[in-house]
Amino acid sequence: MKVTKNLIKLVMVLMVSISIFSCSDGEDGATGPAGPAGVDGTDGVNGEDGQDGEPGTANVIYSDWIEHGFGISAVEAPTEGFDIEAPEITDDILNSGVVMVFGVRATGTTEDVELTYYQLPYTFYGSLQVEYRYRIEPPTSDKAITSIRIQARSVDGTDLDNNASLINAYRYVIIPGGTATSASGKSSNVDYSKMSYEEIVSQFNISE
């Protein structure tokens, strides 16, 4: 009886072992078909275009307002002038840049002053008859710094008297060659003599 039970157990163990080995030694099955394609993701929203930057002004040079140098006495001559030192005017500026000189005239009362700007050369006609010009004077053996000579001249040849100081103050603006003159950052051939002082100030963000 014991022999029979032991034999049955042995047979069952052998059958389980054979079954395990049969499963482990079998060949891999065929690769199944590909699954369906996934749904495409939603496209992201495009970002907004940035605003154009301001025109380049890093290389633009401008002076403070400089009081006229004709003194406080009437000028008893048909022409008179004075110098403004401008060491920033180099040979490169003279060869490829632009130098502009502006004047300002204050009229009205102390409580209500009106400022009018002029780009030199400029001539007052009518009862005033005064012409204002300038020239650039490079350094010499006697003068080491470049200067701008402001010249006032009576149109009718009479003495300037107090009309020499019709323009109260002056400032110069220097634009090196190749400086960007538009919001696109590109240089362009601009005739600055056609632009007002207010346009130049706006174009190059010049501080008052």
Side-chain angles (χ1 to χ4, degrees):
M1 185 71 175
K2 290 183 180 180
V3 174
T4 303
K5 288 183 179 180
N6 290 337
L7 181 59
I8 292 173
K9 290 181 180 180
L10 178 60
V11 172
M12 291 180 66
V13 170
L14 289 175
M15 290 180 65
V16 171
S17 299
I18 292 171
S19 175
I20 292 173
F21 283 115
S22 295
C23 292
S24 62
D25 291 341
E27 296 181 357
D28 293 336
T31 303
V39 179
D40 292 337
T42 304
D43 292 337
V45 179
N46 293 330
E48 296 182 359
D49 293 335
Q51 295 182 350
D52 292 332
E54 294 295 327
T57 62
N59 296 325
V60 175
I61 301 167
Y62 51 91
S63 70
D64 293 328
W65 285 105
I66 302 166
E67 187 177 357
H68 74 79
F70 293 113
I72 58 175
S73 301
V75 177
E76 297 178 355
T79 62
E80 186 60 272
F82 69 95
D83 294 333
I84 296 174
E85 291 187 347
E88 301 92 345
I89 301 177
T90 63
D91 288 339
D92 287 340
I93 295 296
L94 295 176
N95 292 331
S96 60
V98 175
V99 178
M100 293 174 289
V101 178
F102 295 95
V104 61
R105 185 185 183 198
T107 57
T109 64
T110 304
E111 293 78 15
D112 187 17
V113 177
E114 181 178 352
L115 300 179
T116 306
Y117 301 95
Y118 308 92
Q119 182 176 173
L120 273 57
Y122 188 85
T123 302
F124 291 95
Y125 291 104
S127 61
L128 300 177
Q129 296 286 308
V130 180
E131 176 187 69
Y132 291 86
R133 291 185 173 273
Y134 74 94
R135 67 175 182 267
I136 298 171
E137 297 187 340
T140 64
S141 58
D142 298 326
K143 184 182 61 175
I145 298 177
T146 301
S147 63
I148 299 173
R149 179 72 175 176
I150 305 295
Q151 192 82 28
R153 182 181 71 88
S154 173
V155 175
D156 58 10
T158 61
D159 289 349
L160 287 167
D161 295 325
N162 292 320
N163 289 337
S165 58
L166 288 173
I167 294 180
N168 308 111
Y170 299 82
R171 84 183 314 180
Y172 57 83
V173 177
I174 301 171
I175 304 174
T179 297
T181 58
S182 65
S184 65
K186 297 181 180 179
S187 297
S188 59
N189 295 323
V190 178
D191 185 357
Y192 296 106
S193 66
K194 305 297 183 182
M195 299 176 67
S196 68
Y197 173 74
E198 291 82 1
E199 289 172 331
I200 292 294
V201 167
S202 175
Q203 181 79 20
F204 295 106
N205 298 324
I206 294 175
S207 171
E208 288 293 323

